Amino acid sequence: MIDYGLLFSMIVGLGLPAFVMNWWPLSSHKDSVGFTDVALGPAFAGLAVGRLVALAIDDPSSIGSISDMLIIRSGVEFWPGVGAACALLVVGAKRAGFGSLTRVADITALSVVSYAGYEAACLFRDGCFGPESSVGLVPPGLGARMLPIGLFMAAGAAVAAVGLRRLSRNGASDAVVVLAGVASVAAVRAAGSVWLPHVGGGLTRQHLTSIGVLAAAVTGLVVIGQLARQANGSVVQSV
């Protein structure tokens, strides 16, 4: 059975950045290359790795069962998938003679646009869940009106994408752009997870992972900033 909600979400996630790319062209690829040409392979690699990691954590006995592995809705580890996608981009960049992070940084802002599109497409999946509210949407099958947290996450990601694009155009290093992109998405996911319904009273694994990734990305940005200041100070002293 085809999951049309998930299928449409994937179409939005790939189609929206492909449209935005008309104004945000990639600099490390030929002009004729579209977003789907660049992102489709890494996206599927990330999806496969994320699914395998989820199965390894939740149900290792399912690894090897094609039917279980293909049920994407039952769980995908987001950040291992992102790591796998970035690794494939790095390999492609090295083969093309670019720096290891050049293509990752080049596609970072558009990737965050893609994430924003996916979150907004909660309207076409099972509905946009959140805390009960007098203002909001009623997810299919429920009688309670809920604040659509997915739409707020999409808006936050969209704002972050604009900031990342400006950061890149202002000459920020590849490492800074990539870490800022990771921190932005991790912050959106960590904040959204507070309000999304889940089983139990504690933090979910996805929530904890996003907090950890956010902390690591921010630490990386701080270290890069400190190194840059030390380098500038050395230059001033030598002059």
Side-chain angles (χ1 to χ4, degrees), residues 167-188:
L167 189 66
S168 179
R169 289 176 65 86
N170 288 337
S173 69
D174 293 338
V176 168
V177 173
V178 172
L179 286 174
V182 170
S184 299
V185 174
V188 168

Side-chain angles (χ1 to χ4, degrees), residues 189-194 198 202-212:
R189 289 179 64 83
S193 295
V194 173
H198 59 275
L203 300 180
T204 64
R205 185 173 72 240
Q206 296 282 11
H207 192 177
L208 288 171
T209 304
S210 291
I211 292 174

